[in-house]
Amino acid sequence: MKNSKYKHSIDQIVKSVGGETNIRNVYHCATRLRFQLNDVNKFDEKMAQNVEGVLGTKITGDEAQFVIGGEVGNYYSTVINNYNVSERDDSTSKNVKEGNIFKRIVENIVGVMSPIIIALIGFGLIRAVLALLTLFGLSEESLNYQIINMIGDAGFYFLPMLIAASAARQFKTNQYLAIGLTGILLHPTFQSLVESDISLEIFGLPIREAEYGGSVIPIILIVWVMSYVDRLAEKVIPSILKTMLKPLMIIAIMAPLTLIILGPIGAILGDGLFYIMDYLRVNIPWLVPTLMGTFTPLLVMVGMHPALTPIAQVSFSTAGFEIVQGPGMLASNISQAGATLGVFFKSKDKKMKQIALSSSITALSGITEPALYGVNLKLRKPLIYVMISGGIAGFYAGLSGLVRYSFGSPGLLTLPVFFGEDYMNIIHAIVTLLIGFGLSFVLTLIFGFDESIEPIEEAEDDKIKNDSTVLGNEESSVYSFVEGNLIPIHEVNDEIFSTEKIGPGIAIRPTSAEFKSPVTGAITSVFPSKHAIGLKDDNGLEMLLHIGIDTVKLDGQGFKVFVKEGDRVDQGDVIANIDIEFIENKGFDVTSVLVFTNNRNEPVFVSNDENDALAYVI
């Protein structure tokens, strides 16, 4: 079995989206595994959120998104290797058709940009490394510089072709024709004509002279229109002639439209966005970085942050730097790291401390989903501290004139993307980083948060062992079913148990994996999901042992049961074993309950000493 480490989680993910037959295609971005579904109503979000390794989920149109983090590539390859599902391509992709026009535009832009962000980061970091090498003495006249610069620049000069391929998938049209049409705008002949003094025209129609290397918006517009021409050609051309005439018709219509109308319109829109951003940078420099520093976590939660990439790229290709994403996202990402580190020091829960420390390190590198979904959003208050700190750090970034010179998820390891001719820019980036990290860390330590999971450590007096008596009367003695920490039944996080609707009982938060029979008698039932066992002692006292809260959803995962219905057991026999860490990692409470279903008038008490019982009266 390939990628067995991730197979169990992928099985649960596929099950949650309605099974293999409900998956139209699958792809991924930097942190999210994305399934386009045939029937989105079959998506079980509750099940999906409990899958190990899944930090969060989101539905966008017909697409189910699973936030994974840095290992998303391994999850993706496990899907491809173990299931008969398609990678997203031009024959299976479907553009967004639901919602208002603004939502549709944003979601289509996100759909186009998400798959290529990895490439932008990679080539962007080559540029950042080149900036560092230059700082340490590499001459711009040297052959080494020119070759490295060519490598880093290639991803951006030919970015329109990457955009065309991704847009063709998104708009469900032919990928190769889209790339070919984009090549018209990048052709050396066209570029040399633009640079000449000749007024360009074709059959008397003027062609706007524009540089399209590195452009985004014109290409998205061209491929979107091409998708409609493609459908028109499909309808009007006879089947017998489609192989020859369909591509000819698409090129014959789209090439003039590309040169005369669509390319220029897209270029004008891009220029307009740049002038707006540049106006804000010059006249209200603090505004954009402050807003991004404050609200980036919310943009990440709804999956809209890639929609800003085209604006950033317009700025890169026009001015050589950008303020749309880099400065504000640096402030926000680092604030996520500071808050989660604060949770690490402040939390009393061992599992939360472990998650907080690892996600803090990840956030420092610019990948914030583990910190956002695993810690800050879960605990709520740290997210507020992140937004406050990110806003203040972003405000400083804006006032100081901080800009980003290349792509790269803003963080400690990608600080080189802030290197430029003005050496103070990197200084301002470091100060922004320190403000965001330090402020969110301090706020978390001072004001704290409400633990989402109660600490495992309990007072010694609340400890209970397997040989402790938990119920006694003239006929029956019932002993503890597991070693752990005793809690009042009314504090159990389940209304059925806490209100004793099915009978009185006791609750224990286990510290041992072994569950033993509390009585000598018979097993009356074993649930298929293995989380609940019915027992009846030899004197007729009936009881239900329920292991964990809401653990029926695990469908037996993490449970081993050693008895079956009708078996005889003695008090102290091992009847089940659980994987506490696995169950907790799935997000479930392992607090277990023993309920007496036909005992409503007798006292229930707990004792570690036969002569000194702690009464719990019904």
Side-chain angles (χ1 to χ4, degrees):
M1 186 67 67
K2 298 180 180 179
N3 304 90
S4 58
K5 178 181 177 181
Y6 308 95
K7 179 66 164 56
H8 177 71
S9 293
I10 286 300
D11 287 344
Q12 293 301 108
I13 288 173
V14 171
K15 185 177 179 181
S16 74
V17 298
E20 184 178 54
T21 57
N22 195 41
I23 300 172
R24 191 164 67 254
N25 56 72
V26 61
Y27 69 111
H28 73 92
C29 57
T31 58
R32 301 184 188 212
L33 187 63
R34 298 164 179 259
F35 294 87
Q36 288 190 318
L37 306 180
N38 295 314
D39 183 356
V40 75
N41 294 317
K42 292 183 178 179
F43 177 53
D44 187 340
E45 190 164 11
K46 213 167 194 179
M47 177 191 294
Q49 290 174 344
N50 289 320
V51 175
E52 182 179 7
V54 173
L55 302 172
T57 61
K58 183 179 182 297
I59 280 288
T60 301
D62 63 351
E63 183 175 279
Q65 301 176 7
F66 291 77
V67 181
I68 303 296
E71 290 194 290
V72 65
N74 295 321
Y75 281 73
Y76 172 76
S77 61
T78 304
V79 176
I80 296 300
N81 290 333
N82 292 283
Y83 284 92
N84 185 27
V85 296
S86 301
E87 299 177 77
R88 196 175 74 165
D89 59 28
D90 57 3
S91 65
T92 59
S93 167
K94 183 172 80 175
N95 55 310
V96 178
K97 294 183 179 179
E98 299 177 357
N100 60 53
I101 188 169
F102 175 75
K103 180 181 178 182
R104 288 160 56 190
I105 290 172
V106 169
E107 291 184 351
N108 275 309
I109 291 174
V110 169
V112 171
M113 298 307 301
S114 292
I116 65 172
I117 286 177
I118 293 285
L120 296 181
I121 291 174
F123 285 103
L125 289 177
I126 293 293
R127 285 180 165 182
V129 169
L130 183 61
L132 274 175
L133 292 174
T134 305
L135 185 68
F136 289 108
L138 180 65
S139 171
E140 294 185 11
E141 304 299 323
S142 68
L143 184 60
N144 287 333
Y145 177 92
Q146 293 178 47
I147 292 176
I148 297 172
N149 185 56
M150 175 194 68
I151 294 170
D153 189 55
F156 296 95
Y157 182 82
F158 293 103
L159 176 62
M161 291 189 171
L162 302 182
I163 297 288
S166 184
R169 291 182 172 187
Q170 182 68 18
F171 298 127
K172 200 176 180 181
T173 190
N174 188 277
Q175 196 172 16
Y176 306 103
L177 285 174
I179 295 171
L181 286 169
T182 301
I184 295 171
L185 300 178
L186 300 178
H187 198 282
T189 299
F190 180 70
Q191 296 300 316
S192 63
L193 289 172
V194 168
E195 295 169 2
S196 70
D197 295 330
I198 303 172
S199 296
L200 299 184
E201 61 178 44
I202 182 170
F203 301 118
L205 298 173
I207 298 174
R208 185 176 187 266
E209 298 175 8
E211 293 280 351
Y212 291 101
S215 62
V216 174
I217 295 174
I219 311 306
I220 295 177
L221 183 60
I222 289 165
V223 179
W224 175 64
V225 173
M226 175 189 153
S227 69
Y228 288 95
V229 175
D230 189 348
R231 290 173 206 143
L232 175 64
E234 182 70 24
K235 289 180 180 179
V236 301
I237 297 176
S239 298
I240 195 172
L241 298 175
K242 275 180 183 174
T243 302
M244 293 182 294
L245 296 187
K246 183 179 175 182
L248 176 62
M249 177 178 171
I250 291 173
I251 295 171
I253 293 174
M254 286 303 305
L257 284 178
T258 294
L259 289 168
I260 299 168
I261 300 175
L262 299 176
I265 289 176
I268 291 169
L269 289 173
D271 290 344
L273 287 172
F274 170 74
Y275 290 133
I276 292 171
M277 290 297 108
D278 198 52
Y279 175 85
L280 293 174
R281 181 183 68 85
V282 173
N283 296 282
I284 320 175
W286 55 267
L287 181 61
V288 174
T290 301
L291 291 176
M292 286 296 297
T294 304
F295 296 111
T296 287
L298 305 185
L299 292 175
V300 172
M301 285 166 58
V302 299
M304 281 183 57
H305 52 300
L308 298 174
T309 303
I311 304 176
Q313 176 56 27
V314 166
S315 186
F316 278 133
S317 60
T318 306
F321 57 79
E322 67 89 22
I323 65 164
V324 180
Q325 290 179 310
M329 289 187 74
L330 174 67
S332 178
N333 292 353
I334 293 302
S335 295
Q336 295 263 22
T340 47
L341 187 63
V343 170
F344 168 75
F345 282 105
K346 189 81 172 177
S347 175
K348 296 178 182 179
D349 181 80
K350 291 180 180 179
K351 176 175 171 53
M352 179 56 72
K353 289 172 77 73
Q354 180 183 5
I355 295 172
L357 181 60
S358 61
S359 61
S360 178
I361 295 170
T362 305
L364 278 173
S365 67
I367 304 299
T368 61
E369 277 86 351
L372 176 61
Y373 289 101
V375 181
N376 297 329
L377 181 60
K378 182 179 291 186
L379 299 179
R380 293 182 178 85
K381 286 185 179 178
L383 180 59
I384 296 173
Y385 310 146
V386 167
M387 295 177 71
I388 292 171
S389 306
I392 292 172
F395 181 75
Y396 170 82
L399 287 182
S400 66
L402 179 64
V403 298
R404 181 174 64 158
Y405 291 103
S406 191
F407 276 108
S409 186
L412 182 63
L413 299 181
T414 53
L415 277 178
V417 300
F418 294 95
F419 275 108
E421 294 182 3
D422 181 2
Y423 74 92
M424 284 302 296
N425 195 72
I426 187 62
I427 301 298
H428 293 316
I430 294 171
V431 173
T432 298
L433 184 151
L434 293 174
I435 292 172
F437 185 88
L439 188 56
S440 62
F441 177 74
V442 170
L443 287 174
T444 304
L445 288 183
I446 293 176
F447 295 103
F449 46 86
D450 299 321
E451 290 272 19
S452 62
I453 306 173
E454 294 183 14
I456 292 173
E457 296 82 359
E458 299 283 348
E460 191 63 35
D461 290 344
D462 292 333
K463 298 290 182 183
I464 188 167
K465 297 183 179 180
N466 283 112
D467 58 356
S468 304
T469 308
V470 297
L471 180 143
N473 55 31
E474 294 179 356
E475 298 178 339
S476 298
S477 290
V478 180
Y479 292 83
S480 174
F481 51 88
V482 70
E483 293 187 7
N485 303 300
L486 182 72
I487 64 173
I489 191 73
H490 65 268
E491 291 184 7
V492 173
N493 189 27
D494 186 295
E495 184 180 1
I496 299 297
F497 297 130
S498 64
T499 59
E500 300 182 338
K501 288 182 179 180
I502 60 175
I506 66 161
I508 299 173
R509 184 176 295 112
T511 56
S512 168
E514 280 193 345
F515 283 71
K516 298 182 178 181
S517 175
V519 296
T520 295
I523 302 296
T524 58
S525 63
V526 176
F527 282 65
S529 52
K530 303 178 184 179
H531 76 294
I533 301 172
L535 302 103
K536 184 177 182 179
D537 81 348
D538 289 339
N539 295 310
L541 181 63
E542 297 176 1
M543 63 204 74
L544 175 69
L545 172 58
H546 194 284
I547 305 174
I549 304 301
D550 215 20
T551 46
V552 64
K553 297 176 182 177
L554 288 172
D555 198 25
Q557 298 173 62
F559 292 81
K560 291 182 181 178
V561 174
F562 307 114
V563 293
K564 62 182 182 298
E565 184 177 340
D567 283 356
R568 287 281 302 171
V569 291
D570 292 325
Q571 186 277 321
D573 287 350
V574 177
I575 58 176
N577 189 289
I578 67 169
D579 186 336
I580 295 177
E581 184 178 357
F582 173 82
I583 294 171
E584 288 184 330
N585 284 341
K586 289 288 189 177
F588 290 91
D589 184 351
V590 293
T591 299
S592 301
V593 179
L594 185 67
V595 180
F596 305 101
T597 55
N598 69 342
N599 179 76
R600 294 187 175 276
N601 300 309
E602 295 289 339
V604 176
F605 61 87
V606 178
S607 174
N608 289 323
D609 188 327
E610 290 181 358
N611 300 316
D612 185 20
L614 172 65
Y616 179 72
V617 182
I618 302 166

